[in-house]
Amino acid sequence: MPVVSPEKLVALQQHAEGIRNICILAHVDHGKTSLADALIATNGIISAKLAGKIRYLDSRPDEQLRGITMESSAISLYFSMSRRATAAEDPVQREYLINLIDSPGHVDFSSEVSTASRLCDGALVLVDAVEGVCSQTVTVLRQTWIEHLKPLLVINKIDRLITELKMSATEAYIHLSKLLEQINAVIGSFFQGERMEEDLQWREKVEERVATAAARVHQKAERKVATDAASTASDELETIVSNGVDGEFQERDDEDLYFAPEKNNVIFSSAVDGWAFTVRQFAFLYEKKLGIKRSVLEKCLWGDFYLEPKSKRVLGSKHLKGRALKPMFVQLVLDNIWAAYEATTGGSKGKGDPAMVEKIVKSLSLSIPAHVIRSRDPRALLTAVFSAWLPLSTAVLVSVTENLPSPPTAQASRLPTLINGLPGAKHVDQKVREAVIASETGEKAPIVAYVSKMVAVRASELPQNKRKTGGSMTGDEAREIARRKRAEIEKARKAAEEGGLNDIAEALDNTALNGEQEMSPEQAEEVEHLIGFARLYSGTLSVGDAVYVLPPKFSPTNPHAAPEPHKVTVTGLYLMMGRGLESLASVPAGAVFGIAGLEGHILKSGTLCSQLEGSINLAGMNMGSQPIVRVALEPVNPGDLDKMINGMRLLEQSDPCAVYEVLESGEHVILTAGELHLERCLKDLRERFARCEIQAGEPIVPYRETIVSASEMAAPKEKSLPRGTVVAVTPSKQITVRLRVQPLPAEVCDFLEKSRAAIGQLYAERKAKETTKQEDDPDGETNRDHEATLAHTQPVGPISLSDFKTRLQNTFAAAVPESELWCKAVDNIAAFGPRRTGPNILIDQTGSCQKFLQEEPKLHDSKSDESDEPQQSNSLGVKDFSDKILYAFQLATAQGPLCNEPCQGLSVFIEDVTIAAVSEDEASSGEMLGRLTGEIIKTVRDAIRQGFLDWSPRLLLAMYSCEIQASTEVLGRVYGVITRRRGRIVAESLNEGTPFFTILSVLPVAESFGFSDEIRKRTSGAASPQLVFQGFEMLDEDPYWVPFTEDELEDLGELADKENVAKRYMDKVRVRKGLAVKGQKLVRDAEKQKTLKR
């Protein structure tokens, strides 16, 4: 294949209609990188014989070693084909630029899938023909649905049906049909869920309009308005009830969403053998032979259609009349492929047939060298036959250019929906909106680009630092080298005059013949530069342009809010070519490119815009996986601490999912998505970013603390008060607080957990409206755990306070109907916690705290109340301590009493707050407030913890959802490993037509370290798990339980021979945090040590 020059690719960037931005998405080991190799070979970058073996886009050594992709990589490819508009016209050659992004399939790196999908307009979704729909297959299909990408389905590894499963062509057709149904069922579930949500919203609007009209009728009737006005309102009410908001609910057709071979959006392939085809290709091959139009054959080659052998007519299943005919797809397509495999590799026979090979080559008019036909290597012969007959690159790239949209077409259909769902969409400048949707490239068009992630590149790999391997130097380069040599020789001459011959020899030794100076060890170290991986949506971006960098939380509603966006200058633009970069002077709209100059200005993702007012924020994307595994790091040499900190900051910027934190204890902690992700991050830190030896501690697994009402609980500490009620008095005896801690209903807790983003949005809106000075975040402004939690919650559109309040009331009503305790709870909610968005609520029954779900907060109520009191009294009111009570609630829920982990499922009722009368000779109210602030915060926090322990405490364990595909032979070993690690089997199903079982289980994160390696060792590599974080699950065991009944003491003894797993987890966390551990015995059954003298 001829090598395509970068200049050719740069020229094609100017023609937006010929650009295709696509990504390859699939489950791990389904053949993404092998497919990419076959496409790269068309441009002469690698040899076609090495396609599928070299894995060109896996540029990291550990990627090559493990055989999986860990980072998404991009490359630009050239493709041209000739097409006739009509049969009579001459063919016209069309040229295309394919911007291809290969993404990882392992669940630990699913954040890379999110970054890749936002940059693209279409996707190649690969599915293994044997393994079928796996966990990550559903994830990537959901990603294409959320991002509104147009997908192409590639059913890969069809060769396994022949070589491994030994299927006949008819059995393979039935298997492929069922596989296609499974994939379409996943798409259908997305569509059904979206339609149900739209139907619910439509019904809520109808009910709201009906309620408004009914209230208007009632109001007019009360005021005794004229009869005609009342009748008019009644007519309006009847019209709304009968017609709804916008007439009847409009149903949408979902026919175009599904994959169907007759629509040419399904490709059948074997990337390792280098072949692929679509139904359209075979329709073209059989058009003249059968005398049937190509359009008819395209519709009949897949499905229950049969070819009548004598008349060459197409028959439906109803017209078979008992004849045993094969479906056309089997007869005309699969039988030929099966015959080619048997002739070359022998298939089930184990030996090829040279005569059959010659017959196939002759009948298909293939051009294959004679030495290949005589070759004794069946794989080489197989690859040569199929690459000449059904080349993979042709089928894939033709389908991409014909079925996937160009950037202008895709942006016109995708971006209106995406923009309307972004925060502050109403305040986006109309000019910016139109330019982005139309993909304008003019000089006056506003520049809008989305940076999906930052990529770390060594300084030596930048184009300007690379030495030319061939060709002659330019005149400027030769003059620069000559100037340097003259300067060094002059320096040597001066040294000779001042010193002796030794100085001359030393100076000449330091003179390099090629014009380069020796670098010091510090300079020789490879410096890492961060390059933005970006897509330009409108305008033309050039080197030297100044643009605004908008952070992910930027809103056009308040563009100057802190942190205010700032301008940066673009220092370099690059064409992404897999393992290398090519310099660019400018890029037009629709291009995928690399950009330099953003280092230190973008943490992970961001938006570039040429204007600040009315700009658009495209960075609000949903990550596929959230960081759940924390590890504390420290350098082996304490002197390398600064290098490690700088390296961790670089790693945080370059990895979309890694998060760097400094805990209160001073520990430097990195958060990763899983064990494999952690291993890669540590390798990058040691070898690239920090360049020092780093040792990692034990993984820090998150827990949650909660309470339940168990059947066997200790008696309340205050027997005269209801369970969970605490009366606390400050040390100065001046303030008495009575509060009650109750378990929150499970349904309400789940609702609040899913609504974190909505609560955060409501809190931000309320905070923006307040004009008074805002209190600081109790957990610190630099705490990124809150940001990470919100970033990985399901994205929500704008939600009103009334809508959220109504949903919460309905959840309470469904969970605890007719309960007096919760009937007014929603109206009295003062705060959520921890970090103001968690699944715990503070309910104020005293009226001193401002209500969170109040439509219009009355900010001046406290002032008006205080003004009613006599001015001469210096007494403090309850409302003066409301913010302190809220602060204490946030602290108590952020660190529970068991092991200082966040709480979940708590409701705290503030029943009474009493302030003792102060004599006149006491200090002023200001001094008292300062003294009592710390007292009331500590008192309320301790009271909440005391009320917590009045119930039966429980730990919530972080859980992984584990999916394993294994054969029958290793099924028992897989079960044994899962059971030993306290896992639980959820489901087991046999993949129909294959000998593989799919096992679904749940596994505690605390027990998951080393799980993948143990599974592979026990099964000799026959099974590999996929672990996905699915939330927290209660461990139904009281960590403080001890045997106390006669039966328990008789069975277990005083020392409780049965291990308390919850206590083991709790004590482990307390030891790590330096907290006291109750009942821990350092020495047990020790014998007295005696010296020999005594």
Side-chain angles (χ1 to χ4, degrees):
M1 292 289 179
V3 178
V4 180
S5 64
E7 291 76 12
K8 180 70 174 178
L9 300 175
V10 173
L12 290 175
Q13 284 186 341
Q14 306 301 323
H15 307 286
E17 290 297 332
I19 297 177
R20 298 292 185 271
N21 297 320
I22 63 171
C23 55
I24 305 178
L25 309 176
H27 188 75
V28 65
D29 288 334
H30 279 201
K32 298 180 299 298
T33 308
S34 299
L35 177 70
D37 274 3
L39 303 182
I40 293 171
T42 61
N43 280 222
I45 299 174
I46 62 175
S47 169
K49 294 181 180 179
L50 296 177
K53 301 174 185 176
I54 195 172
R55 299 198 305 274
Y56 181 76
L57 292 181
D58 287 350
S59 55
R60 297 171 55 95
D62 48 355
E63 288 179 325
Q64 293 285 341
L65 182 64
R66 289 181 175 270
I68 62 172
T69 304
M70 297 184 182
E71 290 182 349
S72 54
S73 305
I75 191 168
S76 297
L77 303 175
Y78 167 81
F79 177 66
S80 66
M81 66 175 181
S82 300
R83 285 287 186 186
R84 286 187 175 93
T86 60
E89 296 182 4
D90 294 333
V92 179
Q93 186 178 14
R94 296 180 180 178
E95 297 180 326
Y96 296 93
L97 175 65
I98 311 294
N99 292 321
L100 178 70
I101 302 177
D102 181 26
S103 62
H106 196 281
V107 65
D108 280 9
F109 310 109
S110 55
S111 56
E112 297 275 354
V113 178
S114 302
T115 61
S117 59
R118 180 59 67 94
L119 300 177
C120 298
D121 303 317
L124 292 173
V125 180
L126 270 69
V127 179
D128 191 319
V130 175
E131 295 184 4
V133 178
C134 299
S135 58
Q136 281 299 102
T137 309
V138 179
T139 302
V140 299
L141 285 172
R142 183 181 292 112
Q143 192 69 36
T144 60
W145 181 270
I146 293 172
E147 295 290 343
H148 303 282
L149 302 181
K150 187 171 183 182
L152 279 180
L153 177 64
V154 181
I155 300 179
N156 194 27
K157 299 191 179 182
I158 293 182
D159 59 291
R160 294 182 65 188
L161 302 179
I162 307 171
T163 58
E164 290 184 24
L165 302 185
K166 310 295 183 184
M167 286 185 176
S168 65
T170 305
E171 291 171 343
Y173 169 69
I174 296 172
H175 179 79
L176 293 174
S177 300
K178 291 180 179 179
L179 176 59
L180 199 57
E181 289 176 3
Q182 293 175 6
I183 299 169
N184 284 332
V186 175
I187 299 290
S189 66
F190 300 153
F191 175 77
Q192 187 70 18
E194 186 178 278
R195 295 302 288 160
M196 290 177 66
E197 185 177 354
E198 291 176 358
D199 180 57
L200 178 62
Q201 293 175 356
W202 179 82
R203 292 180 185 279
E204 289 177 350
K205 289 181 181 179
V206 171
E207 292 173 0
E208 184 179 349
R209 291 283 299 274
V210 169
T212 305
R216 193 182 304 122
V217 171
H218 183 67
Q219 186 179 8
K220 289 182 179 179
E222 283 185 348
R223 295 179 180 178
K224 297 181 180 180
V225 190
T227 308
D228 55 347
S231 61
T232 303
S234 302
D235 295 340
E236 181 182 352
L237 176 60
E238 292 178 1
T239 303
I240 294 175
V241 172
S242 59
N243 295 336
V245 182
D246 299 318
E248 296 183 357
F249 182 68
Q250 299 293 327
E251 294 290 346
R252 281 192 322 191
D253 185 17
D254 60 343
E255 185 180 355
D256 294 335
L257 301 176
Y258 301 115
F259 296 111
E262 60 268 20
K263 296 178 183 177
N264 289 294
N265 59 4
V266 179
I267 302 170
F268 303 91
S269 77
S270 171
V272 70
D273 290 338
W275 59 266
F277 67 89
T278 60
V279 166
R280 178 171 293 179
Q281 281 180 267
F282 276 91
F284 174 75
L285 293 174
Y286 284 108
E287 181 181 13
K288 293 181 179 179
K289 186 175 182 179
L290 299 178
I292 304 175
K293 291 184 179 179
R294 190 189 310 178
S295 58
V296 176
L297 274 177
E298 288 179 10
K299 296 178 181 178
C300 300
L301 268 180
W302 179 268
D304 293 333
F305 297 99
Y306 305 86
L307 184 65
E308 212 282 326
K310 294 182 179 179
S311 60
K312 303 295 184 183
R313 289 189 306 143
V314 177
L315 303 177
S317 56
K318 297 180 181 179
H319 302 286
L320 285 180
K321 298 178 181 180
R323 288 178 291 180
L325 297 180
K326 294 181 180 180
M328 291 180 65
F329 190 77
V330 176
Q331 183 181 357
L332 302 180
V333 181
L334 295 185
D335 277 347
N336 293 326
I337 293 175
W338 260 242
Y341 267 88
E342 286 195 4
T344 53
T345 62
S348 58
K349 299 178 183 179
K351 186 178 181 182
D353 187 352
M356 180 62 72
V357 171
E358 291 184 6
K359 184 178 179 181
I360 290 174
V361 170
K362 186 176 181 181
S363 62
L364 295 175
S365 302
L366 304 180
S367 176
I368 298 178
H371 71 276
V372 175
I373 295 179
R374 293 192 301 268
S375 172
R376 294 185 179 182
D377 184 3
R379 298 291 306 172
L381 182 58
L382 173 70
T383 305
V385 170
F386 275 106
S387 60
W389 178 29
L390 300 171
L392 183 144
S393 57
T394 302
V396 173
L397 293 179
V398 169
S399 298
V400 164
T401 55
E402 290 183 348
N403 296 288
L404 298 186
S406 62
T409 306
Q411 290 180 204
S413 60
R414 284 180 64 205
L415 289 185
T417 307
L418 288 175
I419 293 174
N420 293 333
L422 294 174
K426 296 180 180 178
H427 299 274
V428 175
D429 188 357
Q430 189 64 26
K431 183 180 177 182
V432 174
R433 182 190 293 263
E434 292 175 355
V436 168
I437 293 175
S439 186
E440 296 181 5
T441 58
E443 295 181 359
K444 296 183 179 180
I447 296 173
V448 177
Y450 170 65
V451 181
S452 68
K453 70 169 185 174
M454 303 296 288
V455 181
V457 179
R458 290 185 174 89
S460 60
E461 295 177 359
L462 295 175
Q464 58 268 28
N465 297 335
K466 284 187 177 180
R467 295 178 59 185
K468 293 189 176 181
T469 56
S472 58
M473 288 188 294
T474 63
D476 293 338
E477 291 174 342
R479 282 190 289 272
E480 177 64 20
I481 290 177
R483 185 190 63 77
R484 276 196 235 162
K485 289 171 67 177
R486 285 195 298 271
E488 289 171 2
I489 292 172
E490 181 65 22
K491 182 179 178 181
R493 189 184 62 80
K494 290 182 179 179
E497 293 176 356
E498 297 173 0
L501 293 176
N502 293 331
D503 295 332
I504 296 177
E506 183 179 353
L508 289 176
D509 286 340
N510 292 331
T511 303
L513 295 177
N514 58 358
E516 294 181 355
Q517 295 182 352
E518 292 183 2
M519 299 178 65
S520 64
E522 291 78 17
Q523 293 174 335
E525 290 187 354
E526 285 283 3
V527 181
E528 296 283 345
H529 293 274
L530 292 176
I531 304 297
F533 191 20
R535 156 85 181 265
L536 190 62
Y537 283 92
S538 71
T540 300
L541 185 63
S542 304
V543 177
D545 286 351
V547 291
Y548 286 98
V549 177
L550 311 182
K553 292 189 176 182
F554 171 83
S555 175
T557 307
N558 189 7
H560 297 283
E564 186 171 353
H566 47 275
K567 271 193 171 183
V568 298
T569 302
V570 178
T571 59
L573 296 172
Y574 304 103
L575 181 68
M576 312 290 279
M577 292 299 294
R579 301 184 180 184
L581 300 171
E582 297 290 340
S583 295
L584 298 173
S586 64
V587 289
V592 175
F593 60 97
I595 178 171
L598 305 180
E599 189 169 348
H601 301 286
I602 288 183
L603 179 60
K604 292 183 181 297
S605 64
T607 307
L608 307 180
C609 196
S610 56
Q611 65 183 60
L612 186 58
E613 301 291 340
S615 54
I616 186 172
N617 180 16
L618 297 172
M621 58 186 285
N622 179 35
M623 290 294 176
S625 62
Q626 67 183 77
I628 189 66
V629 178
R630 301 185 183 202
V631 173
L633 305 180
E634 63 178 2
V636 175
N637 179 8
D640 293 334
L641 180 61
D642 290 339
K643 295 171 69 175
M644 188 192 77
I645 292 175
N646 293 332
M648 293 178 76
R649 288 174 179 162
L650 271 175
L651 174 68
E652 184 183 25
Q653 293 182 65
S654 63
D655 193 304
C657 196
V659 178
Y660 165 53
E661 283 184 353
V662 181
L663 301 184
E664 295 178 357
S665 59
E667 291 177 295
H668 298 275
V669 171
I670 184 170
L671 281 79
T672 60
E675 194 175 3
L676 182 59
H677 186 211
L678 171 63
E679 187 177 333
R680 191 196 75 176
C681 291
L682 291 177
K683 182 179 177 65
D684 284 346
L685 271 176
R686 293 180 179 124
E687 297 180 1
R688 298 179 60 188
F689 300 126
R691 295 182 178 276
C692 64
E693 285 299 318
I694 295 174
Q695 59 185 12
E698 289 291 323
I700 304 172
V701 179
Y703 294 88
R704 296 290 183 267
E705 302 179 16
T706 189
I707 54 176
V708 295
S709 178
S711 57
E712 296 181 359
M713 290 190 295
K717 295 181 180 178
E718 295 291 339
K719 297 183 180 180
S720 60
L721 298 174
R723 184 179 294 276
T725 304
V726 179
V727 179
V729 183
T730 59
S732 62
K733 311 294 184 182
Q734 289 189 326
I735 301 177
T736 304
V737 179
R738 175 183 170 126
L739 55 84
R740 184 178 180 185
V741 178
Q742 283 278 130
L744 203 60
E747 295 84 352
V748 179
C749 184
D750 293 340
F751 172 79
L752 295 178
E753 187 68 33
K754 294 176 182 176
S755 305
R756 279 180 178 269
I759 298 172
Q761 175 188 322
L762 294 175
Y763 178 78
E765 292 175 356
R766 171 181 159 184
K767 194 173 181 180
K769 292 179 181 178
E770 293 178 354
T771 55
T772 57
K773 184 179 179 180
Q774 305 301 313
E775 65 175 281
D776 293 335
D777 191 342
D779 297 298
E781 292 295 334
T782 60
N783 194 321
R784 296 176 186 157
D785 190 25
H786 171 48
E787 298 179 8
T789 304
L790 290 182
H792 299 298
T793 318
Q794 288 296 329
V796 295
I799 183 173
S800 65
L801 191 65
S802 59
D803 289 344
F804 177 77
K805 186 176 180 180
T806 303
R807 295 180 189 177
L808 185 56
Q809 286 174 336
N810 295 337
T811 308
F812 267 112
V816 280
E818 301 179 1
S819 174
E820 296 181 1
L821 180 66
W822 307 103
C823 60
K824 296 182 180 180
V826 176
D827 294 328
N828 293 328
I829 291 177
F832 298 90
R835 301 182 184 92
R836 303 190 181 94
T837 60
N840 306 286
I841 56 176
L842 177 67
I843 301 171
D844 176 34
Q845 296 179 336
T846 65
S848 60
C849 298
Q850 182 180 324
K851 304 299 185 291
F852 182 84
L853 297 179
Q854 193 173 349
E855 289 290 344
E856 293 183 2
K858 299 178 181 179
L859 300 175
H860 303 288
D861 280 359
S862 60
K863 294 182 180 180
S864 61
D865 293 344
E866 290 172 3
S867 62
D868 294 339
E869 299 178 2
Q871 293 292 331
Q872 62 271 18
S873 67
N874 289 331
S875 61
L876 292 172
V878 176
K879 294 185 177 180
D880 293 322
F881 297 98
S882 61
D883 56 336
K884 284 73 179 176
I885 295 174
L886 296 178
Y887 189 93
F889 169 74
Q890 300 293 341
L891 289 178
T893 53
Q895 294 183 338
L898 297 184
C899 50
N900 281 7
E901 290 291 314
C903 294
Q904 180 172 315
L906 295 188
S907 58
V908 180
F909 294 82
I910 304 295
E911 296 182 348
D912 186 34
V913 180
T914 305
I915 301 177
V918 183
S919 59
E920 295 182 357
D921 56 348
E922 291 282 346
S924 64
S925 60
E927 295 177 358
M928 287 181 57
L929 182 63
R931 177 169 54 83
L932 293 175
T933 294
E935 289 188 10
I936 193 170
I937 289 175
K938 184 177 183 300
T939 301
V940 173
R941 184 196 64 185
D942 293 344
I944 294 175
R945 291 185 172 185
Q946 184 179 340
F948 181 102
L949 295 175
D950 218 6
W951 298 87
S952 184
R954 293 290 187 271
L955 276 180
L956 295 171
L957 307 183
M959 302 296 287
Y960 275 138
S961 172
C962 176
E963 179 182 292
I964 304 175
Q965 283 202 345
S967 59
T968 314
E969 293 80 11
V970 298
L971 209 56
R973 301 174 195 171
V974 171
Y975 275 34
V977 175
I978 293 174
T979 306
R980 273 197 305 275
R981 292 177 174 265
R982 302 186 58 79
R984 186 178 74 255
I985 304 297
V986 176
E988 173 193 290
S989 59
L990 175 64
N991 296 344
E992 193 171 349
T994 70
F996 296 103
F997 283 85
T998 298
I999 305 161
L1000 295 178
S1001 61
V1002 290
L1003 186 76
V1005 175
E1007 306 285 349
S1008 67
F1009 301 102
F1011 175 71
S1012 300
D1013 290 339
E1014 186 178 359
I1015 283 280
R1016 280 192 285 266
K1017 288 177 183 176
R1018 294 283 181 180
T1019 62
S1020 301
S1024 182
Q1026 285 278 297
L1027 300 174
V1028 183
F1029 178 68
Q1030 72 164 16
F1032 291 87
E1033 185 176 295
M1034 182 186 298
L1035 177 61
D1036 196 11
E1037 194 172 354
D1038 190 339
Y1040 293 121
W1041 178 87
V1042 291
F1044 61 92
T1045 65
E1046 291 184 4
D1047 294 339
E1048 290 172 348
L1049 288 172
E1050 183 178 350
D1051 294 340
L1052 303 175
E1054 294 182 0
L1055 298 177
D1057 296 334
K1058 178 184 176 182
E1059 182 188 21
N1060 189 330
V1061 180
K1063 187 177 189 307
R1064 173 163 62 86
Y1065 286 143
M1066 181 184 73
D1067 290 347
K1068 189 175 180 180
V1069 177
R1070 292 185 71 89
V1071 168
R1072 178 175 56 81
K1073 293 185 176 182
L1075 304 175
V1077 179
K1078 295 181 180 179
Q1080 185 181 26
K1081 295 184 178 180
L1082 299 179
V1083 179
R1084 179 181 172 183
D1085 298 334
E1087 295 181 359
K1088 186 177 181 181
Q1089 298 293 322
K1090 295 182 179 180
T1091 62
L1092 293 176
K1093 291 182 180 181
R1094 294 182 183 178

